Amino acid sequence: MKKISVQSLLILLIGVFSVISCNSDRLEESGAPQGESLSNKGNQTSKVAAFGKNPLSIMYVEVNSNDIREVGKYKLADGRQLFDVAIIFAANINYNTSTQKAYLSFNTQVTNVLTNKDTYIKPLQDKGIKVMLSILGNHQGAGFANFPNQAAAQAFAQELADAVNTYGLDGIDFDDEYANYGANGTGQANQYSFVYLVTALRDLLPNKIISFYNIGPSASNLSYNGVTVGSKVDYAWNPYYSTYSAPNIPGLDNAHKGAAAVNVNPSTSSFTSSSTVNNYAQRTKDDGYGVFLYYDLGATNIASYFSGATNILYGQNTTYGDGTTTPTTGITSGATYQLVSGTNGTSMLDVLNAGTTDGTKVQLWGSNGNTAQKWKITDVGGGYYKLQPLNAPTKSLDVSNSGTTNGTQVQIYTDNGTNAQKWKITSVGNDYYTLSPAHASGFNLDVNNGSATNGTKIQIWTANTGNAQKWKLVKL
């Protein structure tokens, strides 16, 4: 065997290290990506084991119309939370036609949840539930699969990471629907864009969750030059409700996939029946998939609906918390109350001119003892109440046309049981409460501009901590 001198050995080692350095994990800054060998994320087994429950139960919540805190009310019989992850649905990837760049956008309801994280997000996290933000296309041509180069993908990944860090979130979910690729002069999907995006986000958020709702052009572009999306994301699942079909994600094992897709909202066409849910639960268990996906949780107690699946998956029934935000002083269902505004501590929620017809506006007015200022409050289930003025007992406090924009007028309308007439009453201290309509959980009953002038409009407005949204309930 030929001996190698010390000098030769040093030269050889330098050469080896040079090769390693030249081939280190790197993505080239160009419109057409160069080859790369990117490091895989950490041990996947730990991703499931860390939750202490297998499979994981995931719930998407449409925060435009539902309260994400409902996720925390469902528990297994042994006291563990049913849901391991709650997903805020959804923020958007939008497109700026002036700068020709994609950017992250939040609508009013998502903004409310994020900016009031101590109200909506932290209570779930305190129960051990991870809270993620789903990102959805918005018909503007911007999507995850058509970034023109690595720099553009990295810039959007930075916006996502900033949102996670700013609002204390546990991760990002990608949903490549409604992008309308090609709109506003944007490009079509390419092979490398989504790989760039998830790679950049994983580098920025090494310890957060990244998931993929396996749909859209991104689902057809899951690898590039040996780099797989599955090596960067933690979980992926079937996006087609009331079906059972595991996604094919290169680099992702079954323990981190979900084949079952369950829609829990019975008012939708893709609602999943109890028998189907139970069937999917058994198949998930038999097939060894690590995720069980649910969508569209509302305010109604559906613990019995979940129990069939949870008995199969975890050997436990599902229970529901008290489901109410009744103040600690107690609301007596069927009793009569006056609602005193926090704007001045004396003015009342009042029916304009003591009207009795549908669409009569409510307003702020000084206390006068009129029945138009007295409200019968009745528990309607799920933590919600209806409020009926004594001057028009067949009417209920109602959000005009079920509106969900700031400034929508509040009125009285024939009692009809819709969500625009159901109000969640929440204590905010000092004997004051907020009232939030069931159809628009991110909004509260509000006095326009916080004015105490007689006749001031009563509306809904994005939830905040101002006195214009505080009401004292005085039992008569």
Side-chain angles (χ1 to χ4, degrees):
M1 180 181 292
K2 184 177 180 181
K3 292 183 179 181
I4 301 177
S5 68
V6 173
Q7 181 178 9
S8 298
L9 181 60
L10 287 174
I11 293 171
L12 177 62
L13 289 173
I14 290 171
V16 169
F17 282 118
S18 297
V19 171
I20 292 173
S21 176
C22 290
N23 289 279
S24 62
D25 293 349
R26 185 166 62 93
L27 290 172
E28 297 297 327
E29 292 277 358
S30 70
Q34 306 300 310
E36 69 276 327
S37 175
L38 299 171
S39 61
N40 288 343
K41 65 182 185 303
N43 187 323
Q44 289 185 334
T45 302
S46 66
K47 297 290 184 179
V48 174
F51 284 92
K53 189 148 72 56
N54 188 9
L56 306 181
S57 287
I58 315 290
M59 176 60 79
Y60 281 87
V61 179
E62 294 260 14
V63 298
N64 286 351
S65 53
N66 295 300
D67 190 333
I68 196 167
R69 292 171 294 185
E70 285 291 316
V71 172
K73 294 178 181 176
Y74 290 91
K75 295 182 180 180
L76 300 177
D78 64 6
R80 289 179 295 166
Q81 296 294 146
L82 167 57
F83 297 109
D84 302 283
V85 178
I87 300 181
I88 300 167
F89 191 82
N92 295 108
I93 177 171
N94 283 0
Y95 188 71
N96 186 319
T97 56
S98 297
T99 63
Q100 297 185 329
K101 293 180 179 179
Y103 67 96
L104 182 61
S105 176
F106 308 134
N107 68 17
T108 302
Q109 290 80 11
V110 171
T111 297
N112 176 62
V113 171
L114 296 177
T115 57
N116 292 285
K117 60 184 179 181
D118 288 342
T119 299
Y120 293 100
I121 297 172
K122 192 173 185 299
L124 294 177
Q125 293 172 328
D126 288 344
K127 294 179 179 181
I129 300 169
K130 302 296 186 183
V131 180
M132 298 175 61
L133 180 65
S134 187
I135 315 299
L136 182 69
N138 201 20
H139 309 282
Q140 298 181 12
F144 315 130
N146 69 342
F147 288 108
N149 51 51
Q150 180 192 0
Q154 288 178 326
F156 189 70
Q158 186 65 62
E159 289 192 51
L160 296 176
D162 289 344
V164 167
N165 293 325
T166 297
Y167 300 113
L169 297 166
D170 295 296
I172 292 293
D173 173 68
F174 291 110
D175 181 350
D176 192 9
E177 296 180 273
Y178 312 119
N180 195 13
Y181 287 96
N184 291 314
T186 57
Q188 293 298 321
N190 59 58
Q191 188 177 0
Y192 50 83
S193 175
F194 192 42
V195 174
Y196 276 167
L197 179 60
V198 294
T199 298
L201 189 61
R202 174 54 68 202
D203 289 343
L204 292 166
L205 300 175
N207 299 314
K208 297 291 185 176
I209 302 170
I210 304 175
S211 62
F212 179 44
Y213 189 84
N214 185 49
I215 199 168
S218 292
S220 299
N221 293 280
L222 296 174
S223 63
Y224 184 76
N225 278 1
V227 181
T228 63
V229 166
S231 70
K232 302 301 174 183
V233 305
D234 300 295
Y235 306 103
W237 37 73
N238 172 21
Y240 302 104
Y241 296 109
S242 294
T243 70
Y244 184 92
S245 177
N248 180 16
I249 310 291
L252 200 65
D253 61 13
N254 285 354
H256 296 78
K257 296 178 185 178
V262 174
N263 182 341
V264 307
N265 187 343
S267 66
T268 57
S269 60
S270 59
F271 171 67
T272 311
S273 69
S274 295
S275 60
T276 301
V277 176
N278 297 347
N279 173 266
Y280 290 172
Q282 189 61 58
R283 293 173 69 181
T284 293
K285 185 175 181 179
D286 293 344
D287 296 341
Y289 291 111
V291 174
F292 202 81
L293 176 68
Y294 301 91
Y295 166 74
D296 210 8
L297 184 66
T300 303
N301 177 358
I302 56 172
S304 60
Y305 173 87
F306 291 128
S307 286
T310 58
N311 266 294
I312 294 168
L313 296 174
Y314 313 117
Q316 308 254 350
N317 280 326
T318 299
T319 64
Y320 184 71
D322 63 10
T324 140
T325 51
T326 302
T328 55
T329 52
I331 292 177
T332 303
S333 181
T336 300
Y337 293 81
Q338 290 177 312
L339 278 73
V340 182
S341 172
T343 56
N344 62 2
T346 58
S347 294
M348 306 280 184
L349 183 69
D350 176 280
V351 181
L352 177 65
N353 296 325
T356 60
T357 59
D358 283 346
T360 300
K361 299 176 182 179
V362 293
Q363 60 181 4
L364 193 71
W365 200 269
S367 178
N368 57 22
N370 194 296
T371 53
Q373 295 184 349
K374 298 176 181 179
W375 301 82
K376 178 181 177 182
I377 300 182
T378 305
D379 188 342
V380 294
Y384 289 92
Y385 296 83
K386 65 179 178 181
L387 289 79
Q388 296 172 289
L390 294 195
N391 72 296
T394 64
K395 312 296 182 183
S396 285
L397 189 69
D398 177 280
V399 179
S400 179
N401 295 318
S402 297
T404 58
T405 57
N406 282 334
T408 300
Q409 177 73 52
V410 178
Q411 60 185 10
I412 61 169
Y413 201 88
T414 298
D415 183 34
N416 56 29
T418 61
N419 284 341
Q421 295 185 354
K422 297 177 182 178
W423 300 83
K424 186 176 287 289
I425 302 175
T426 305
S427 174
V428 292
N430 298 319
D431 296 325
Y432 281 98
Y433 309 93
T434 58
L435 285 81
S436 176
H439 79 287
S441 61
F443 292 82
N444 284 333
L445 189 70
D446 180 279
V447 179
N448 187 37
N449 292 324
S451 171
T453 304
N454 281 347
T456 298
K457 173 186 178 182
I458 302 297
Q459 60 191 5
I460 61 168
W461 196 271
T462 301
N464 59 58
T465 59
N467 288 335
Q469 297 189 357
K470 296 178 181 177
W471 301 88
K472 183 174 290 185
L473 275 61
V474 179
K475 186 178 179 182
L476 301 177

